[in-house]
Amino acid sequence: MDAFALLSRGGTQFDKRRFNKEVNLFSGHKKHAETVASTSHTTDEFPEELDFFKYAESGVLGTKGEGAANGKSRAADSERTVGVERQSQGSGWEGSAKRGTKRKRSLEPERTITSARRVRCTGESVPTPIHSFVSLQDRYGLAPELRKNIAEKGYLTPTDVQTQCIPVLLEKRDLAAIAPTGSGKTLAYLLPVFCLLGAPGRSGASEKQAGARALIVSPTRELAMQIHNEALKLAKGRKWKVVVLNKATGNALRDKAARKKVDLLITTPLSLVSALDEGILNLDNIRHLILDEADRLLEEGFLKQIEAILAACSYPEIQKAVFSATLPAAVEAIANTFLRRPIRVIVGVKDSATDTIHQELLFCGSEIGKLQALRNLVVEGIQPPVLIFVQSIERAQELFHELLYDGLNVDVVHSERTKAQREDAVRRFRKGEVWVLIATELMARGMDFKGVNLVVNYDFPQTVQSYIHRIGRTGRAGRQGKAVTYFTKEDAPYVKSVANVLKASGQDVPQYMLDLPKPSKLKKRELKRHPIERKDIARAAGAGVGRNLANKKRDMICASKRRKTEPAGDKGGKGDSVVRRQVVLTEDE
DNA sequence: AAAAAAC
């Protein structure tokens, strides 16, 4: 991890002066906050409202009932704790307890442990890791421009995932890489891909050598664009043509000469499949295929398209690699159907959160409690930028309007907003013009907002994987970050698995959360997390609690700093001194 | 296990 600390991430370094003081919108009025949310403050005591016994099936959960009672009195029974950890292993999640008991992997041919045992590597003839970017020049003939561009980005030493993945890819091996959020996976595949691309495609080149030779697939447009940006920086000074496939570029590619010039193609699954269907391009010459956020891409909904893409990649010696911070066993099995003699690289503990993130689970009782909790957070002073995740598009919209009403500098991103709106929101969030960004799962993966101080899971994530990716928007590249996850009674059955993630990453977790029973499958189905009603957020606001506060806040908001109550949803910003001040210290994208 | 995302 020390290497991380030394790492400076290019022009996008987090500058503390950017938000040098807490945005204490309502300082001096904390008493209001205290009166409205008594339920939200205590996290380590068993909330009376959280009567999970009703979820428990009598026979099966008898012993856990006891454990829960202990949790109530906060008596941490060590035997019980061990039992809880053992149970968690069945879910494909490797808890810290498992580290001590990893032995029965005799099927795996080799195991090399590198980088102070953080990197575990399995597979046939694993290439030796690299320990500096300089060594790539001798070993693999890395082009001087690439080397220079890496240095210019401020990358001094390869990160853990890079030390192992770069040589593996450079030796044209297939790869399954699992490494924490913000650990440098993008460069781990971009650098070798560029290195292997060889000379930039020229129109004069032979049929075999021209056209897209590498393909990167990403689950969202935003991530594809981000990868594109990184690729451009890395390829600076060379004439490689890097293209994000979309309607406009797709049309341009109808021209055969234009098609021949493309070297690296970055795309979301659907746009590629539709381009294939239209016969705009073929993938016959793709020699390197990278699936970023692979577990997401191999989920139902994407899988069919990925299969079509794999089928269209007909180059016999094609190299394939999958990358993610999480790769459940079942999904890895799917990946292994198309990877050939893959090398598997795991950094850290599989499916665990980045350890630079301070995590907290906050019981909020109800929908109303969640809104109160969020308002308290604002009242107590938040350090932007803050990213808030909700479960659905509707809820994103609703929370957006609630916070607009509160006068917060807020924007929202989800798939039903236009491409332009999405891009604008992301860009302004990166610049610091938007302090609070509300988002659906769309923003959960891959997005690299380096300065994000706080992630709020306003709605409880649906899977442990989702949790890990969402909170992974903060605490990147060795920086500190904070994540708060709200939960209500309805979320109780799902809390335990997330609590285990906290525990595995060394966070303090109230014992009662670990003792919460997992509901039986039957009960789970019954509970089925009734889709949170659309109007809940609005109702919570209308219920009186919070609304008064909201009014007060609105009146008080930075009265001295803020001239307009112009919300971030509009073009906004002009003449706003607060905004101006932040723009000066923007990130470089 | 399930909503969101993907021209």
Side-chain angles (χ1 to χ4, degrees), chain A residues 361-559:
Chain A
L361 299 178
L362 193 61
F363 179 65
C364 296
S366 62
E367 276 302 315
I368 296 174
K370 291 206 280 191
L371 191 58
Q372 288 171 349
L374 186 59
R375 293 210 153 110
N376 284 347
L377 201 67
V378 174
V379 168
E380 281 158 13
I382 48 169
Q383 282 185 296
V386 175
L387 191 54
I388 302 180
F389 284 105
V390 290
Q391 190 52 49
S392 69
I393 293 168
E394 283 146 337
R395 286 177 63 83
Q397 279 301 130
E398 284 183 20
L399 188 59
F400 173 56
H401 290 300
E402 274 309 312
L403 296 187
L404 264 187
Y405 187 80
D406 286 4
L408 270 178
N409 209 349
V410 63
D411 210 338
V412 61
V413 170
H414 55 68
S415 65
E416 282 178 12
R417 300 202 77 194
T418 66
K419 193 169 179 281
Q421 285 173 322
R422 284 164 61 164
E423 282 171 20
D424 189 58
V426 168
R427 203 194 67 245
R428 297 181 48 212
F429 187 57
R430 284 211 156 109
K431 282 172 118 179
E433 291 175 23
V434 168
W435 295 354
V436 178
L437 185 64
I438 298 164
T440 58
E441 210 62 19
L442 169 61
M443 284 287 122
R445 282 173 177 263
M447 297 308 293
D448 191 29
F449 303 115
K450 292 184 186 68
V452 169
N453 285 311
L454 173 67
V455 169
V456 178
N457 285 318
Y458 190 89
D459 288 337
F460 204 78
Q462 300 251 352
T463 62
V464 165
Q465 285 78 16
S466 163
Y467 176 76
I468 290 167
H469 286 275
R470 283 177 175 192
I471 69 166
R473 296 318 98 206
T474 185
R476 297 178 74 80
R479 292 203 186 90
Q480 296 299 308
K482 196 168 182 270
V484 185
T485 301
Y486 296 168
F487 69 101
T488 66
K489 262 192 275 192
E490 281 68 36
D491 302 314
Y494 307 90
V495 169
K496 182 196 175 88
S497 55
V498 169
N500 280 326
V501 175
L502 268 80
K503 191 158 186 283
S505 37
Q507 303 285 313
D508 292 330
V509 196
Q511 187 61 38
Y512 85 83
M513 290 185 192
L514 296 166
D515 289 340
L516 285 168
K518 282 181 165 178
S520 70
K521 280 185 180 168
L522 185 77
K523 286 283 170 187
K524 218 176 209 166
R525 220 168 293 141
E526 267 175 38
L527 280 167
K528 214 178 64 186
R529 178 183 272 279
H530 66 104
I532 313 163
E533 288 174 51
R534 288 179 198 190
K535 293 299 166 218
D536 276 353
I537 290 177
R539 221 188 294 133
V545 231
R547 178 56 82 197
N548 288 338
L549 176 69
N551 289 337
K552 278 226 158 60
K553 272 193 232 159
R554 201 158 46 110
D555 298 339
M556 293 186 289
I557 281 176
C558 299

Side-chain angles (χ1 to χ4, degrees), chain A residues 166-185:
Chain A
I166 289 174
V168 165
L169 290 176
L170 283 173
E171 297 195 10
K172 301 194 181 168
R173 297 290 303 273
D174 279 13
L175 169 69
I178 306 163
T181 53
S183 66
K185 290 189 286 292

Side-chain angles (χ1 to χ4, degrees), chain A residues 170-278:
Chain A
L170 283 173
E171 297 195 10
K172 301 194 181 168
R173 297 290 303 273
D174 279 13
L175 169 69
I178 306 163
T181 53
S183 66
K185 290 189 286 292
T186 308
L187 189 74
Y189 63 75
L190 278 182
L191 182 62
V193 161
F194 276 121
C195 200
L196 292 165
L197 269 179
R202 275 172 252 113
S203 41
S206 74
E207 206 60 47
K208 284 275 171 208
Q209 266 135 29
R213 282 155 286 148
L215 174 65
I216 297 166
V217 186
S218 136
T220 62
R221 287 206 287 251
E222 280 75 9
L223 183 54
M225 287 168 52
Q226 182 181 288
I227 296 165
H228 182 234
N229 278 333
E230 289 303 304
L232 289 182
K233 285 182 217 160
L234 194 59
K236 206 173 63 183
R238 310 264 338 233
K239 293 215 167 74
W240 285 307
K241 180 124 173 105
V242 184
V243 171
V244 177
L245 187 65
N246 55 37
K247 273 217 184 83
T249 57
N251 279 328
L253 290 179
R254 286 171 198 279
D255 174 50
K256 196 180 172 190
R259 213 154 55 217
K260 278 177 83 175
K261 282 187 188 142
V262 177
D263 296 294
L264 169 60
L265 197 61
I266 304 168
T267 182
T268 51
L270 202 52
S271 45
L272 181 54
V273 168
S274 72
L276 288 174
D277 289 346
E278 282 189 66

Side-chain angles (χ1 to χ4, degrees), chain A residues 12-30:
Chain A
T12 50
Q13 247 194 82
F14 177 52
D15 186 341
K16 282 200 167 132
R17 286 168 305 170
R18 235 176 100 212
F19 300 109
N20 57 351
K21 48 180 152 173
E22 284 196 345
V23 178
N24 230 322
L25 298 180
F26 318 106
S27 54
H29 294 267
K30 283 192 182 173

